[in-house]
Amino acid sequence: MADRKIVGMMALAAGGLAALASPGAQARRFYNFPTPVTPIARETLYIHDLFLSIISVLFVLSAGVVLYSIFVHRKSRGYKAATFTRPTGTKQWVLVVLPFLALSFIDYVILGIPAFHSILALADTSNPALTVRVTGSQWKWQYEYPSYGIKYTSSLSTPLDQIYGKAPRDKHFLREVDHPLVLPINEKVDIVLASDDVIHSFWVPAFGIKQDAVPGSLRETWVKIEKPGTYRGQCAELCGVGHAFMPIVVVAKTQPEFAKWVAAQKLKAAATAAAANQTFTAAQLIARGQGVYDKICAACHQPTGLGIPGAFPPIAGGHPFVAPPQMIANLVARGFYHDGKVVMGPVENHIGIVLHGIPGTPMPAFASQLSVLDIASVISFERNSFGNHAGAVVEPVQVKDVEQGK
Ligand code: HEC
Ligand SMILES: [Cu+2]
């Protein structure tokens, strides 16, 4: 009989969907969640799979009943539309109340308890073994380990040629950085998020976390990574034109490997501090500065040094630049504008601009992101490239002097 066939087909479809969505049967494929590597990610995935299986079965069952009724009780068989507007009689009341109770049970107990548990677990940042501070800024992440005195900036390392389509894209196009966040496995790491400018969002799918970094307030989340490896994520809050250029790369290491990394970072920090007192040749500074410029400044001032009319002033002196009056006034005040053209202003002002940014404009302060040597180098590069002929370069001590207000 046709009716029985339909019921059979419905059962088959329900079973198939349930098998697809059931946690055990599911291999992690490209269209699904990445393999979870933290307790939170695993719980989230479990809840997702559970929700999906139950919802799929309910969908198939209820759609099946609807389709069945439409087909079997059709007009041509002499059926007439029902006219009742509310349940009448015991049978109908049971058919209303039972599904309601069943749905409530599914929602508040079967799904509700694990969901509530994971929300509580997500918020529990107590007793971390390590705290890292993550600060979003346009358009890079800064990572700081207060207990080790380590602090560095992580920026996109995809070459500009690939971004501009002049070279083939590699596997991790726009998802590779110069200095990843390095974390130990099997330890609870408290991640304290802040922002230097607008709202960013720290999102690493394999960790099951996505937490906004909000200017003027601190947000927290935590991870306990179970497997060494490289995990990739992205800023998940539209934060300006460079939003797609601030990926997150986390390298999880075993405790001994992590300890080695910490020791190496401390040595590096000592070397950077020492470099602030050394002198370098013009060629050394300019070559180093070119690297810093391409990585950090070119996003706004452009690889050509010509800027973008109205938004980002050229670095190349002698270039006409049209911009809103306030921006022109800023440039004039610092000695970087004359006769409708951008000019190389006084070196102290140049150092000041790069150290402290231009408040109230997109020009960021780099004092906390770049070493004194990097700042000296990038300024040396800017003053001797793009057709600028300052001749002299800037040594790290000069930057230190301006920084200390000498
Ligand atoms: C997020 C975009 C952005 C980045 C990144 C950026 N700048 Fe700027 N910069 C600006 C803007 C905007 C101005 C103009 C601000 C104003 O006065 O309104 C500016 C102005 C300047 C000026 C003064 C005017 C001029 O054109 O000479 C200098 C010098 C400068 N930036 C150097 C740098 C250096 C060096 C870097 C990299 C270490 C850098 N900037 C990175 C946006 C940026
Ligand atoms: Cu962002």
Side-chain angles (χ1 to χ4, degrees):
M1 208 173 101
D3 293 9
R4 206 171 289 153
K5 249 193 212 153
I6 292 173
V7 174
M9 268 159 58
M10 265 165 51
L12 209 80
L17 263 177
L20 242 178
S22 75
Q26 206 158 41
R28 309 261 75 90
R29 300 208 178 82
F30 71 93
Y31 54 80
N32 208 326
F33 284 52
T35 310
V37 292
T38 64
I40 291 289
R42 202 151 1 81
E43 261 189 66
T44 313
L45 182 61
Y46 168 75
I47 294 166
H48 164 269
D49 289 350
L50 186 68
F51 271 46
L52 196 65
S53 341
I54 294 176
I55 288 169
S56 307
V57 171
L58 289 181
F59 173 75
V60 171
L61 286 181
S62 47
V65 169
V66 170
L67 291 176
Y68 170 84
S69 304
I70 291 174
F71 181 72
V72 173
H73 304 134
R74 57 190 184 275
K75 205 173 169 184
S76 61
R77 283 196 176 179
Y79 283 93
K80 288 212 171 63
T83 52
F84 64 84
T85 52
R86 62 182 188 82
T88 50
T90 320
K91 194 176 152 201
Q92 284 185 1
W93 273 110
V94 168
L95 283 175
V96 168
V97 172
L98 263 190
F100 174 75
L101 291 179
L103 284 179
S104 302
F105 182 76
I106 291 172
D107 200 15
Y108 290 99
V109 181
I110 300 182
L111 303 179
I113 290 175
F116 192 60
H117 180 267
S118 78
I119 296 282
L120 290 184
L122 193 60
D124 176 19
T125 52
S126 60
N127 304 321
L130 172 70
T131 298
V132 295
R133 247 192 102 133
V134 172
T135 307
S137 66
Q138 283 170 322
W139 289 282
K140 54 188 123 1
W141 295 96
Q142 288 172 65
Y143 300 130
E144 187 181 355
Y145 302 68
S147 48
Y148 300 127
I150 298 173
K151 186 177 178 180
Y152 58 94
T153 303
S154 173
S155 21
L156 181 74
S157 64
T158 298
L160 284 172
D161 275 355
Q162 288 187 21
I163 294 174
Y164 288 104
K166 290 182 201 141
R169 296 175 172 191
D170 57 36
K171 191 162 153 230
H172 297 301
F173 180 69
L174 295 186
R175 303 192 76 199
E176 195 66 273
V177 298
D178 51 357
H179 306 294
L181 175 63
V182 179
L183 296 178
I185 58 162
N186 295 333
E187 274 183 5
K188 185 168 182 179
V189 181
D190 181 18
I191 298 178
V192 181
L193 285 149
S195 168
D196 274 348
D197 33 55
V198 299
I199 301 178
H200 301 272
S201 188
F202 188 79
W203 178 44
V204 183
F207 298 168
I209 56 164
K210 178 157 141 201
Q211 180 71 63
D212 281 4
V214 181
S217 85
L218 295 178
R219 295 293 161 100
E220 265 181 289
T221 186
W222 64 277
V223 295
K224 190 171 179 183
I225 308 165
E226 289 153 355
K227 236 176 73 189
T230 301
Y231 304 102
R232 290 169 204 277
Q234 248 143 3
C235 175
E237 180 67 50
L238 187 57
C239 58
V241 298
H243 171 58
F245 305 121
M246 51 184 298
I248 298 156
V249 180
V250 181
V251 174
K253 293 181 186 282
T254 58
Q255 271 99 341
E257 288 294 313
F258 179 73
K260 262 192 229 160
W261 177 83
V262 168
Q265 287 313 104
K266 284 185 177 164
L267 278 182
K268 227 167 106 184
T272 309
N277 298 315
Q278 291 163 9
T279 44
F280 296 84
T281 66
Q284 281 172 327
L285 289 168
I286 291 171
R288 188 185 181 94
Q290 163 113 53
V292 177
Y293 184 88
D294 286 347
K295 225 175 69 188
I296 296 179
C297 323
C300 295
H301 295 287
Q302 302 300 297
T304 53
L306 294 180
I308 292 179
F312 304 118
I315 295 299
H319 267 271
F321 181 61
V322 184
Q326 183 54 51
M327 190 182 278
I328 299 296
N330 280 341
L331 294 175
V332 170
R334 291 173 170 79
F336 277 76
Y337 198 80
H338 185 70
D339 256 358
K341 289 176 183 146
V342 165
V343 295
M344 265 301 122
V347 66
E348 294 74 31
N349 291 3
H350 200 158
I351 298 173
I353 289 173
V354 181
L355 275 174
H356 309 301
I358 302 183
T361 80
M363 174 63 198
F366 288 101
S368 68
Q369 291 176 27
L370 290 177
S371 69
V372 163
L373 173 58
D374 280 342
I375 290 179
S377 306
V378 77
I379 295 173
S380 300
F381 169 74
E382 285 189 339
R383 295 181 81 81
N384 294 285
S385 313
F386 309 124
N388 300 332
H389 301 291
V393 289
V394 173
E395 291 289 346
V397 280
Q398 290 171 264
V399 176
K400 251 173 91 175
D401 286 351
V402 173
E403 194 169 27
Q404 292 162 1
K406 278 185 202 159

